[in-house]
PDB file of all heavy atoms in Angstrom:
ATOM      1  N   GLY A  21       2.705  -2.209   4.608  1.00 95.00           N
ATOM      2  CA  GLY A  21       2.016  -3.441   4.378  1.00 95.00           C
ATOM      3  C   GLY A  21       3.059  -4.676   4.275  1.00 95.00           C
ATOM      4  O   GLY A  21       4.119  -4.445   4.800  1.00 95.00           O
ATOM      5  N   GLN A  22       2.514  -5.697   3.721  1.00 95.00           N
ATOM      6  CA  GLN A  22       3.396  -6.894   3.627  1.00 95.00           C
ATOM      7  C   GLN A  22       3.590  -7.405   2.153  1.00 95.00           C
ATOM      8  O   GLN A  22       2.608  -7.250   1.392  1.00 95.00           O
ATOM      9  CB  GLN A  22       2.803  -8.048   4.366  1.00 95.00           C
ATOM     10  CG  GLN A  22       2.694  -7.783   5.890  1.00 95.00           C
ATOM     11  CD  GLN A  22       2.140  -9.058   6.580  1.00 95.00           C
ATOM     12  OE1 GLN A  22       1.703  -9.926   5.989  1.00 95.00           O
ATOM     13  NE2 GLN A  22       2.107  -8.969   7.902  1.00 95.00           N
ATOM     14  N   VAL A  23       4.756  -7.924   1.853  1.00 95.00           N
ATOM     15  CA  VAL A  23       5.031  -8.442   0.593  1.00 95.00           C
ATOM     16  C   VAL A  23       5.584  -9.860   0.950  1.00 95.00           C
ATOM     17  O   VAL A  23       5.986 -10.223   2.027  1.00 95.00           O
ATOM     18  CB  VAL A  23       6.098  -7.629  -0.259  1.00 95.00           C
ATOM     19  CG1 VAL A  23       5.412  -6.291  -0.620  1.00 95.00           C
ATOM     20  CG2 VAL A  23       7.412  -7.479   0.456  1.00 95.00           C
ATOM     21  N   HIS A  24       5.589 -10.785  -0.106  1.00 95.00           N
ATOM     22  CA  HIS A  24       6.085 -12.028   0.044  1.00 95.00           C
ATOM     23  C   HIS A  24       7.608 -12.286  -0.294  1.00 95.00           C
ATOM     24  O   HIS A  24       8.172 -13.240   0.208  1.00 95.00           O
ATOM     25  CB  HIS A  24       5.222 -13.050  -0.697  1.00 95.00           C
ATOM     26  CG  HIS A  24       3.781 -13.070  -0.314  1.00 95.00           C
ATOM     27  ND1 HIS A  24       3.353 -13.611   0.901  1.00 95.00           N
ATOM     28  CD2 HIS A  24       2.722 -12.468  -0.792  1.00 95.00           C
ATOM     29  CE1 HIS A  24       2.072 -13.419   1.020  1.00 95.00           C
ATOM     30  NE2 HIS A  24       1.645 -12.712   0.030  1.00 95.00           N
ATOM     31  N   LEU A  25       7.986 -11.442  -1.160  1.00 96.00           N
ATOM     32  CA  LEU A  25       9.389 -11.648  -1.619  1.00 96.00           C
ATOM     33  C   LEU A  25      10.114 -10.294  -1.591  1.00 96.00           C
ATOM     34  O   LEU A  25       9.551  -9.274  -1.788  1.00 96.00           O
ATOM     35  CB  LEU A  25       9.457 -12.055  -3.137  1.00 96.00           C
ATOM     36  CG  LEU A  25       8.693 -13.309  -3.467  1.00 96.00           C
ATOM     37  CD1 LEU A  25       8.562 -13.573  -4.912  1.00 96.00           C
ATOM     38  CD2 LEU A  25       9.468 -14.576  -2.766  1.00 96.00           C
ATOM     39  N   TRP A  26      11.478 -10.306  -1.437  1.00 95.00           N
ATOM     40  CA  TRP A  26      12.332  -9.127  -1.373  1.00 95.00           C
ATOM     41  C   TRP A  26      12.064  -8.401  -2.780  1.00 95.00           C
ATOM     42  O   TRP A  26      12.073  -7.158  -2.717  1.00 95.00           O
ATOM     43  CB  TRP A  26      13.739  -9.578  -1.125  1.00 95.00           C
ATOM     44  CG  TRP A  26      14.658  -8.375  -1.018  1.00 95.00           C
ATOM     45  CD1 TRP A  26      15.449  -7.818  -1.969  1.00 95.00           C
ATOM     46  CD2 TRP A  26      14.799  -7.613   0.166  1.00 95.00           C
ATOM     47  NE1 TRP A  26      16.098  -6.672  -1.504  1.00 95.00           N
ATOM     48  CE2 TRP A  26      15.696  -6.559  -0.145  1.00 95.00           C
ATOM     49  CE3 TRP A  26      14.250  -7.616   1.429  1.00 95.00           C
ATOM     50  CZ2 TRP A  26      16.152  -5.554   0.777  1.00 95.00           C
ATOM     51  CZ3 TRP A  26      14.668  -6.666   2.399  1.00 95.00           C
ATOM     52  CH2 TRP A  26      15.554  -5.640   2.053  1.00 95.00           C
ATOM     53  N   ARG A  27      12.035  -9.113  -3.778  1.00 96.00           N
ATOM     54  CA  ARG A  27      11.856  -8.508  -5.161  1.00 96.00           C
ATOM     55  C   ARG A  27      10.642  -7.612  -5.155  1.00 96.00           C
ATOM     56  O   ARG A  27      10.578  -6.612  -5.777  1.00 96.00           O
ATOM     57  CB  ARG A  27      11.828  -9.646  -6.107  1.00 96.00           C
ATOM     58  CG  ARG A  27      11.675  -9.116  -7.494  1.00 96.00           C
ATOM     59  CD  ARG A  27      12.947  -8.578  -8.104  1.00 96.00           C
ATOM     60  NE  ARG A  27      12.721  -8.164  -9.464  1.00 96.00           N
ATOM     61  CZ  ARG A  27      13.013  -6.910  -9.945  1.00 96.00           C
ATOM     62  NH1 ARG A  27      13.723  -6.052  -9.186  1.00 96.00           N
ATOM     63  NH2 ARG A  27      12.781  -6.628 -11.211  1.00 96.00           N
ATOM     64  N   GLU A  28       9.517  -8.124  -4.547  1.00 95.00           N
ATOM     65  CA  GLU A  28       8.272  -7.338  -4.505  1.00 95.00           C
ATOM     66  C   GLU A  28       8.530  -5.987  -3.794  1.00 95.00           C
ATOM     67  O   GLU A  28       7.967  -4.955  -4.209  1.00 95.00           O
ATOM     68  CB  GLU A  28       7.161  -8.104  -3.874  1.00 95.00           C
ATOM     69  CG  GLU A  28       6.689  -9.300  -4.693  1.00 95.00           C
ATOM     70  CD  GLU A  28       5.674 -10.169  -3.887  1.00 95.00           C
ATOM     71  OE1 GLU A  28       5.750 -10.135  -2.699  1.00 95.00           O
ATOM     72  OE2 GLU A  28       4.864 -10.732  -4.599  1.00 95.00           O
ATOM     73  N   ARG A  29       9.307  -6.055  -2.739  1.00 95.00           N
ATOM     74  CA  ARG A  29       9.590  -4.851  -2.045  1.00 95.00           C
ATOM     75  C   ARG A  29      10.326  -3.831  -2.930  1.00 95.00           C
ATOM     76  O   ARG A  29      10.082  -2.688  -2.911  1.00 95.00           O
ATOM     77  CB  ARG A  29      10.382  -5.229  -0.746  1.00 95.00           C
ATOM     78  CG  ARG A  29      10.631  -3.986   0.118  1.00 95.00           C
ATOM     79  CD  ARG A  29      11.449  -4.529   1.365  1.00 95.00           C
ATOM     80  NE  ARG A  29      11.704  -3.391   2.222  1.00 95.00           N
ATOM     81  CZ  ARG A  29      12.107  -3.489   3.507  1.00 95.00           C
ATOM     82  NH1 ARG A  29      12.296  -4.664   4.057  1.00 95.00           N
ATOM     83  NH2 ARG A  29      12.326  -2.336   4.189  1.00 95.00           N
TER      84      ARG A  29
END
Side-chain angles (χ1 to χ4, degrees):
Q22 294 183 353
V23 294
H24 297 286
L25 303 170
W26 185 261
R27 178 78 178 129
E28 291 175 330
R29 183 178 180 166

